[in-house]
Amino acid sequence: MGSDAPGDAGRVPRLRLDELLEELQVRIDEVRGTRDRLNGLLEAVLSVGRGLDLSQVLREIVEAAVVLVDARYGALGVIGDDQRLSQFLPVGISDALRKQIGDLPSGHGLLGELIRHPEPLRLPELSEHSASSGFPEHHPPMHSFLGVPIRVRDDVFGNLYLTEKRGGAEFDSEDEAVLSTLAVAAGVAIENARLFEEIRLREQWLAASAEFTSALLSGASESHVLEMMLDRAREITSAELGLVYLTERDGHLRCALARGPGADLHLGVVLPPDEGTFAKAALLSENGVVTTPDAAGDARITFRPERWADCGPATAVLVGDRDKLWGVLMLARGTGRPAFNDTETVPLSGFAGQAAVALELADRRRDAEQMSLLADRDRIARDLHDLAIQRLFATGMTLQSAQRFVDHPEAAERLGRAIDDLDATIKIIRSTIFGLREHEAPGAPAGLRVRSVRAVEDATPVLGFAPALRIEGLVDTDVSRAVADEVVAVLGEALANIARHARASKADVLVAARGGAVSVTVTDDGVGIRENGRRSGLRNLAERAEKLGGELSVTRGIAGGTRLVWRVSLPPDG
């Protein structure tokens, strides 16, 4: 018994030494793990801090968070102005599974809890929380949960959500501390990316403004100004759909220009003033700017809401102001895209204001050209009346006096025809003088010649080019007011059909009154009429012709495109 004591005494210190060594190894592993985690956190902070593209920075923040706390799933939710999630960036879920799950969360349930109470939240079982509302179909199971807010200065930008700690463990206080530290760094990185984005956008708007100014000084046309405004606005804001609604003479807004997916649903549409539209919402807004996170579901749009079916975020800004409204510029992004923010809409409003100045200058330039044209018309009318008609009349009188000295029957007959031709020529010149001087009678209804010119001018912005117009015959004297109304309506509808369907770059218009009939001939170089295409517009034209006992002919042009001829007979008294 005495011999065993020294051996036992030797083993006890050795056992204690082994325990101490094991404990020391555990502590060393913990220190090494902490060191590795701190290194990982530092690397993550540096990584997100290097980025300047906001969307890429947000993606890197989520990916870094998942790695740091060893989570299976992660997401970053950006909080919008309506205190709901305007963006949701998930990590760990495949694109195929995401499509099966359906719409991304908007901020209800447990995700909304962090929006309402922006403080760190750690749960061993998220389904047991009172705010939990369950998962949609196909959603993977999730149990442990850790969420922290991301602040940019004093404002809550969004939240980091982490679920499913690997190995079935719970998130601990150290995970929370690491994630909170990352959230602070994320706030700084997001602010830097935002500042860079603002500077980049400001440079783009300044470049667009310089381009605009150059176009103004070079005397660009109204249609060119509108196209430039729309294309640059879509490019800078990354909007898929762009629309320009212009104010017509009757005060209604008509879509004169549309670019992007679904543009055909808007082009040529006239907005009723008594129904809910996005343009009306902009008119009613305090600063002339309105935005929506979801145009397809916006309750303010009650007039033909199906036009916005595939649109998500949208914005509308006034071109001009309420005292002198030229129109409304609208931009829309696809479903799921980020909403428009002040960084985008403030310079967009200024850009639209420049467009209003351009349109004002174009209008003034058009007025000056019109005054010059009217002055030329007055001069031409005076010359025709004082010189041409008087000389023709004198020649006719001379021929009439000479007619009685001609004995040969055939010569006398030819002389009579010449006198009749001179009378017809004098009538044509007088009709031309009436057309040239028609502006001198304020309040008097415009003749068919002037109304045809106006109809072509009104169609120019929608077409994107100016059609060529030719007028033949005594259209102002031989065509009655009622028939002239039909001619103008036919001309407008024919040009509108070209804008909607033809994809043409050129159109020619002929309005002629001759042979006891008035006709409208419109040709274009577009895709031509389709065999099974919609013909509601052509049916209207045909009905107008039939009502007056006339006819409509629509054929392919000789060199392609479409040739439309609308013709009705005139009564003997015009």
Side-chain angles (χ1 to χ4, degrees):
M1 185 171 178
S3 63
D4 293 337
D8 293 341
R11 282 196 298 270
V12 170
R14 194 176 302 116
L15 290 173
R16 288 178 179 173
L17 180 60
D18 290 342
E19 291 175 359
L20 289 172
L21 288 174
E22 289 177 5
E23 184 177 351
L24 180 60
Q25 184 63 45
V26 170
R27 296 292 178 88
I28 291 173
D29 291 341
E30 288 178 354
V31 170
R32 184 180 294 125
T34 302
R35 183 196 63 190
D36 293 342
R37 197 165 201 185
L38 287 174
N39 288 338
L41 176 59
L42 179 60
E43 179 59 33
V45 169
L46 293 175
S47 175
V48 299
R50 283 193 294 263
L52 289 176
D53 180 77
L54 183 57
S55 60
Q56 184 62 31
V57 167
L58 298 180
R59 174 65 59 183
E60 289 179 355
I61 290 171
V62 188
E63 292 173 349
V66 168
V67 173
L68 283 173
V69 299
D70 202 20
R72 185 180 299 275
Y73 306 108
L76 191 153
V78 179
I79 301 174
D81 295 334
D82 57 355
Q83 291 302 298
R84 298 177 65 183
L85 295 180
S86 61
Q87 281 182 267
F88 191 79
L89 306 174
V91 168
I93 297 178
S94 66
D95 292 339
L97 181 57
R98 193 182 309 171
K99 289 181 180 179
Q100 282 186 310
I101 295 173
D103 295 337
L104 295 174
S106 58
H108 297 291
L110 187 59
L111 301 187
E113 182 70 12
L114 261 74
I115 298 176
R116 295 184 291 271
H117 305 98
E119 298 293 338
L121 179 63
R122 183 158 42 94
L123 301 170
E125 178 55 58
L126 61 85
S127 62
E128 294 178 358
H129 194 277
S130 58
S132 178
S133 57
F135 297 111
E137 189 178 1
H138 304 298
H139 197 285
M142 295 180 180
H143 301 283
S144 55
F145 175 86
L146 174 59
V148 297
I150 298 176
R151 286 182 168 84
V152 177
R153 293 185 182 269
D154 296 328
D155 298 325
V156 178
F157 173 83
N159 295 303
L160 271 173
Y161 307 106
L162 285 303
T163 61
E164 284 299 281
K165 177 88 169 176
R166 293 184 186 274
E170 300 176 11
F171 294 106
D172 56 25
S173 58
E174 188 175 328
D175 292 325
E176 181 180 322
V178 168
L179 199 60
S180 296
T181 304
L182 178 65
V184 173
V188 176
I190 289 169
E191 184 177 20
N192 289 339
R194 276 179 160 181
L195 291 174
F196 177 77
E197 182 72 10
E198 288 180 14
I199 293 171
R200 187 182 64 83
L201 284 175
R202 192 177 296 118
E203 289 177 349
Q204 288 181 319
W205 286 119
L206 287 174
S209 297
E211 185 180 358
F212 229 68
T213 302
S214 176
L216 290 176
L217 294 177
S218 64
S221 65
E222 179 178 312
S223 60
H224 179 68
V225 168
L226 293 176
E227 289 175 2
M228 182 189 301
M229 175 182 69
L230 189 59
D231 290 342
R232 296 295 281 142
R234 287 177 63 213
E235 177 186 345
I236 294 174
T237 61
S238 299
E240 284 88 355
L241 176 65
L243 310 170
V244 176
Y245 278 80
L246 293 181
T247 305
E248 296 192 306
R249 289 189 177 93
D250 58 5
H252 292 171
L253 288 167
R254 176 177 56 82
C255 185
L257 191 61
R259 299 282 176 87
D264 292 343
L265 299 174
H266 297 267
L267 189 61
V269 171
V270 177
L271 301 180
D274 54 345
E275 290 197 47
T277 63
F278 204 38
K280 186 176 182 179
L283 286 166
L284 295 176
S285 65
E286 185 177 349
N287 58 354
V289 180
V290 65
T291 60
T292 178
D294 180 23
D298 197 307
R300 293 171 295 184
I301 304 175
T302 59
F303 172 69
R304 293 176 57 180
E306 68 277 3
R307 293 176 298 137
W308 302 92
D310 297 326
C311 296
T315 184
V317 299
L318 300 186
V319 180
D321 52 40
R322 292 174 180 82
D323 295 330
K324 181 63 173 179
L325 181 65
W326 289 98
V328 180
L329 168 64
M330 303 183 197
L331 300 171
R333 293 171 177 155
T335 304
R337 294 282 311 281
F340 289 90
N341 54 44
D342 291 343
T343 304
E344 297 169 309
T345 57
V346 171
L348 178 62
S349 180
F351 190 62
Q354 277 196 307
V357 173
L359 293 173
E360 179 73 26
L361 290 176
D363 191 53
R364 297 290 177 86
R365 186 166 56 245
R366 191 163 49 244
D367 287 344
E369 292 171 352
Q370 184 71 11
M371 293 299 295
S372 176
L373 176 63
L374 294 179
D376 285 343
R377 286 181 175 180
D378 288 342
R379 178 183 56 77
I380 294 170
R382 285 195 304 270
D383 290 346
L384 288 174
H385 183 272
D386 297 341
L387 300 175
I389 286 186
Q390 299 302 326
R391 294 173 76 95
L392 288 173
F393 187 74
T395 302
M397 293 292 291
T398 301
L399 291 176
Q400 280 184 326
S401 62
Q403 192 175 22
R404 64 178 180 269
F405 298 111
V406 177
D407 296 328
H408 194 284
E410 186 175 348
E413 192 268 335
R414 289 187 178 182
L415 193 58
R417 286 206 308 271
I419 294 171
D420 292 340
D421 288 343
L422 283 174
D423 287 339
T425 303
I426 290 172
K427 287 181 180 180
I428 292 173
I429 294 175
R430 280 177 173 164
S431 173
T432 303
I433 292 173
F434 292 152
L436 291 170
R437 288 182 167 173
E438 190 162 13
H439 67 279
E440 295 178 350
L448 180 55
R449 185 184 302 272
V450 173
R451 295 175 69 191
S452 298
V453 172
R454 288 177 182 171
V456 170
E457 288 178 346
D458 289 344
T460 297
V462 179
L463 290 166
F465 59 85
L469 173 64
R470 194 167 80 255
I471 299 175
E472 297 181 358
L474 306 178
V475 294
D476 288 333
T477 56
D478 287 357
V479 182
S480 68
R481 183 72 184 179
V483 176
D485 290 343
E486 296 294 326
V487 169
V488 173
V490 166
L491 182 54
E493 193 157 351
L495 292 175
N497 283 339
I498 293 176
R500 281 194 293 265
H501 309 298
R503 299 201 291 275
S505 60
K506 186 177 70 173
D508 295 292
V509 177
L510 169 64
V511 179
R514 58 193 175 196
V518 61
S519 63
V520 177
T521 304
V522 181
T523 59
D524 65 69
D525 64 347
V527 297
I529 188 167
R530 291 176 293 179
E531 291 294 329
N532 300 319
R534 294 176 58 188
R535 306 219 171 184
S536 56
L538 296 180
R539 186 164 55 250
N540 292 337
L541 298 179
E543 290 174 355
R544 289 181 183 276
E546 291 171 3
K547 183 174 66 174
L548 298 174
E551 58 184 359
L552 172 71
S553 170
V554 182
T555 58
R556 290 190 65 85
I558 297 175
T562 304
R563 183 174 188 270
L564 180 148
V565 180
W566 186 91
R567 185 179 185 278
V568 297
S569 298
L570 295 173
D573 57 355

